[in-house]
């Protein structure tokens, strides 16, 4: 098991290493590679899948939101280790697809790692992480009804990814920005839904 990642680059390195040594990259393998306390990285990876073209598959955003909510509940309860059910841990993609995805996101990862790191780290300590987890649960609950509207799940998923990034790189300023983004995402979602 690897040390807990502290940058987006670390996450990509772990996934790339798995893709080099396996025919498939399973969710469970990624969790193990990122460390058993990989709550933050998991909250980055899942929303990015939703925002990608894969996220347009009907029902997938809701399924991912349920898994994200399960992870966030564990964070809110202060669990030390990330637990996922077997059917989630066994989900896998081909190693070649994983390598291509990593290559496409390297530039974004370098930008994120330059911009987000270590500001106001006290805001990434357990009490604030638990508050963020509650925000993630609320955002995940907003996803199923928004899935009925084209691209509407992007807003809550971006806010969830921002929480995950803030926790991973211990950036309290980003944690504040994620809270603002979460409030905005909920407002946008409510506006989209009421305007149907």
């Amino acid at each position: 098991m690897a040390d807990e990642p502290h940058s987006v680059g670390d996450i990509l390195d772990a996934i790339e290493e798995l893709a080099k040594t396996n025919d498939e990259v399973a969710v469970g393998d990624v969790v193990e590679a990122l460390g058993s306390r990989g709550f933050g990285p998991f909250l980055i990876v899942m929303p990015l899948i939703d925002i990608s073209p894969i996220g347009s598959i009907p029902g997938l955003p809701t399924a991912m939101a349920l898994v994200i909510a399960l992870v966030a509940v564990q964070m809110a309860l202060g669990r030390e280790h990330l637990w996922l059910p077997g059917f989630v841990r066994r989900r896998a993609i081909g190693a070649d697809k994983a390598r291509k995805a990593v290559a496409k996101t390297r530039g974004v990862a370098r930008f994120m790692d330059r911009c987000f790191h270590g500001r106001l780290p006290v805001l990434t300590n357990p009490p604030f992480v638990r508050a963020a987890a509650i925000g993630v649960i609320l955002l995940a609950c907003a996803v199923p009804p928004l899935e009925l509207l084209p691209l509407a799940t992007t807003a809550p998923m971006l806010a969830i990814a921002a929480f995950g990034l803030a926790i991973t790189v211990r950036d309290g300023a980003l944690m504040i920005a994620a809270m603002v983004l979460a409030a905005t995402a909920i407002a946008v979602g409510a506006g989209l839904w009421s305007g149907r």
Side-chain angles (χ1 to χ4, degrees):
M1 185 165 25
D3 291 332
E4 214 174 328
H6 296 288
S7 70
V8 181
D10 289 348
I11 297 169
L12 296 182
D13 290 344
I15 294 170
E16 189 171 54
E17 191 59 37
L18 285 170
K20 284 180 185 175
T21 56
N22 298 287
D23 293 331
E24 290 185 329
V25 177
V27 172
D29 295 333
V30 173
V31 170
E32 290 301 316
L34 295 177
S36 59
R37 294 183 64 197
F39 293 102
F42 194 83
L43 292 179
I44 298 170
V45 172
M46 290 295 283
L48 292 181
I49 292 170
D50 176 78
I51 294 165
S52 77
I54 296 171
S56 62
I57 298 170
L60 186 62
T62 294
M64 286 191 297
L66 290 172
V67 175
I68 288 169
L70 173 65
V71 171
V73 166
Q74 293 176 63
M75 288 172 56
L77 294 174
R79 280 186 58 96
E80 289 291 316
H81 302 285
L82 175 59
W83 174 85
L84 293 172
F87 74 92
V88 174
R89 295 181 68 86
R90 289 189 295 271
R91 301 299 299 168
I93 63 168
D96 192 46
K97 283 185 181 177
R99 280 192 294 271
K100 286 178 183 173
V102 166
K104 285 181 181 178
T105 54
R106 281 285 181 192
V108 174
R110 281 191 291 271
F111 171 78
M112 289 179 168
D113 289 341
R114 275 197 313 270
C115 294
F116 307 118
H117 52 81
R119 298 169 297 183
L120 304 172
V122 69
L123 296 181
T124 61
N125 286 336
F128 299 101
V129 169
R130 288 180 181 178
I134 293 167
V136 169
I137 293 166
L138 293 174
L139 288 163
C141 290
V143 169
L146 290 177
E147 188 178 350
L148 301 173
L149 305 169
L151 303 174
T153 61
T154 299
M157 287 295 192
L158 277 175
I160 291 168
F163 279 123
L165 183 59
I167 292 164
T168 300
V169 301
R170 294 187 51 78
D171 190 324
L174 181 56
M175 185 73 86
I176 294 169
M179 290 177 187
V180 172
L181 185 57
T184 303
I186 290 168
V188 167
L192 286 171
W193 188 253
S194 65
R196 279 187 88 212

